[in-house]
Amino acid sequence: LSNPIHSAFITKVRKLKSYKFTFNGLIFIIFMKIMITGGLGFVGSHLSLKLEKEGHQLIVLTKSFSKKKNIPKSSKIRIEKIDITNFKKFDSSINKHKPELIIHLAGQTSHSKSFENPLNDIDSNSKTTLFILEKIRKMKSSCDFILGSTFIVVGKPEKLPVDEQSKCNPTTIYGTNRLSSEFFCKIYHNLYGINAKIFRITNSYGPKEQIIPNKNAINYLIHQAYTGEKITIFNDGNFFRDLIYISDVISGILTIIKKGKPGELYWISSGKKTWFSKLGKYLEQSTSSKVKLVKTPKYTKKVDVGNFIVSNKKLKSLGWTPKISIKEGILKTLEYFNLS
């Protein structure tokens, strides 16, 4: 792009905060340098590989190499072991790489652990988001920001379906810190013009997620069924959630990167109810396991959001649509367990 006219055009496109554009009937893509915090995690690893496939240069920050297998050795993604609560090292990494987009997925994500160590949750979630936004504000080069958030910020919804305008009243410290991070993004966009976008995910599931009870209940139940254990479901399965498969989550994030409006929040959800009684039946039909109905623990009763379904109309208006049904998603996840 040595032609000054072309260079000026590309610069103008970057200012429009878009890396895909049409000119004279042709589609052009500008490849970006993207930094992803928590890039070895469930969502982060899937997103990193997809963005690498699109031709972008990826820098992944991780607190631990325990999930390094989520990124194949053949990948050219740069992986750096940095605990992002170490702001000095985090700052040095940003200065070194000068990313054009930072996608913030790292943080403490267990609501139960947020009560065990609440001050750590503030450091891991609220402070890291504020640090990135403040760093971008002071940077000489342009850098956009995307925050990954969670349905936990809503708490127990006042009415269904939930949408971007729904009132938030989180029941956990984790949810509160994620919500504060969302407000930080909106404030820095409104006051400083930072191109910050936010997405919230409902109950996601699929390959590469950790198998921990309080980490991802859906993956944990699918893994229980895969191993032949009894599938433990609370409250007779008489509640529903909005479950979304990981590939639909990733396509939603990509849509927000390409078409989302700065300063806006977008829900990534299936928009469909999945009753846990039916989820249990699907798992019984797909495996040799059986459902075991158990009493809901006292802690869960106090913090659980209850029935939950989200309208995804806003994201759909950008041309996105979820494609994987719950039955198909379960089979894909079981297949992954079988191969791994």
Side-chain angles (χ1 to χ4, degrees), residues 1-274:
L1 296 173
S2 58
N3 186 315
I5 296 177
H6 289 172
S7 297
F9 182 66
I10 296 300
T11 300
K12 185 176 181 180
V13 170
R14 284 202 184 281
K15 288 182 178 179
L16 291 173
K17 307 301 183 186
S18 173
Y19 70 81
K20 185 174 182 180
F21 61 95
T22 304
F23 180 63
N24 287 344
L26 299 174
I27 296 176
F28 293 85
I29 294 178
I30 298 175
F31 300 118
M32 296 187 292
K33 183 182 284 188
I34 302 173
M35 177 176 283
I36 302 182
T37 71
L40 291 188
F42 176 41
V43 174
S45 59
H46 283 279
L47 180 61
S48 297
L49 291 170
K50 186 67 175 179
L51 288 169
E52 183 194 31
K53 191 175 181 180
E54 288 194 352
H56 302 288
Q57 184 179 347
L58 272 294
I59 305 102
V60 159
L61 304 187
T62 180
K63 183 169 64 175
S64 160
F65 286 140
S66 62
K67 305 173 191 173
K68 198 170 183 179
K69 66 178 183 178
N70 284 348
I71 300 290
K73 292 182 179 179
S74 58
S75 170
K76 294 181 180 179
I77 294 173
R78 184 183 180 96
I79 302 173
E80 292 188 356
K81 186 180 178 182
I82 294 177
D83 184 336
I84 59 170
T85 61
N86 185 330
F87 296 139
K88 185 176 180 180
K89 287 187 177 180
F90 193 8
D91 184 74
S92 295
S93 182
I94 295 174
N95 289 337
K96 177 174 67 176
H97 296 294
K98 295 179 175 58
E100 295 159 294
L101 170 64
I102 297 176
I103 303 174
H104 187 28
L105 304 178
Q108 196 296 111
T109 58
S110 167
H111 55 78
S112 59
K113 285 186 178 179
S114 73
F115 287 104
E116 292 169 12
N117 194 339
L119 296 181
N120 176 69
D121 200 81
I122 292 174
D123 290 341
S124 181
N125 290 312
S126 291
K127 282 188 179 180
T128 55
T129 302
L130 192 55
F131 169 81
I132 297 170
L133 289 166
E134 187 65 4
K135 178 64 179 177
I136 290 174
R137 182 181 73 84
K138 295 177 180 178
M139 286 172 64
K140 294 181 180 179
S141 56
S142 176
C143 181
D144 299 339
F145 182 62
I146 294 181
L147 173 70
S149 191
T150 169
F151 72 98
I152 297 296
V153 302
V154 175
K156 301 177 190 293
E158 291 185 346
K159 63 178 182 178
L160 297 173
V162 170
D163 62 19
E164 287 78 6
Q165 303 304 318
S166 294
K167 182 180 177 181
C168 293
N169 187 22
T171 58
T172 66
I173 292 169
Y174 164 59
T176 302
N177 285 319
R178 284 293 183 182
L179 184 60
S180 70
S181 293
E182 292 184 12
F183 278 105
F184 293 152
C185 290
K186 293 174 183 178
I187 291 167
Y188 271 69
H189 168 71
N190 293 334
L191 189 58
Y192 302 117
I194 290 176
N195 179 19
K197 305 172 188 176
I198 308 155
F199 66 83
R200 290 179 189 158
I201 309 173
T202 54
N203 285 101
S204 58
Y205 68 101
K208 298 185 182 181
E209 176 60 296
Q210 291 177 287
I211 311 303
I212 303 173
N214 291 326
K215 177 74 173 179
N216 185 312
I218 311 306
N219 261 56
Y220 183 71
L221 292 175
I222 297 173
H223 191 261
Q224 278 186 315
Y226 168 74
T227 57
E229 297 178 52
K230 288 188 177 180
I231 309 159
T232 51
I233 294 180
F234 299 150
N235 194 31
D236 294 332
N238 189 30
F239 63 100
F240 60 79
R241 289 289 176 82
D242 189 325
L243 310 185
I244 185 163
Y245 188 70
I246 186 60
S247 62
D248 287 330
V249 172
I250 301 308
S251 65
I253 296 172
L254 293 175
T255 300
I256 293 166
I257 293 173
K258 298 171 186 178
K259 300 179 181 180
K261 185 179 177 182
E264 292 292 321
L265 162 69
Y266 298 89
W267 274 104
I268 303 178
S269 73
S270 69
K272 296 180 179 180
K273 296 178 183 177
T274 296

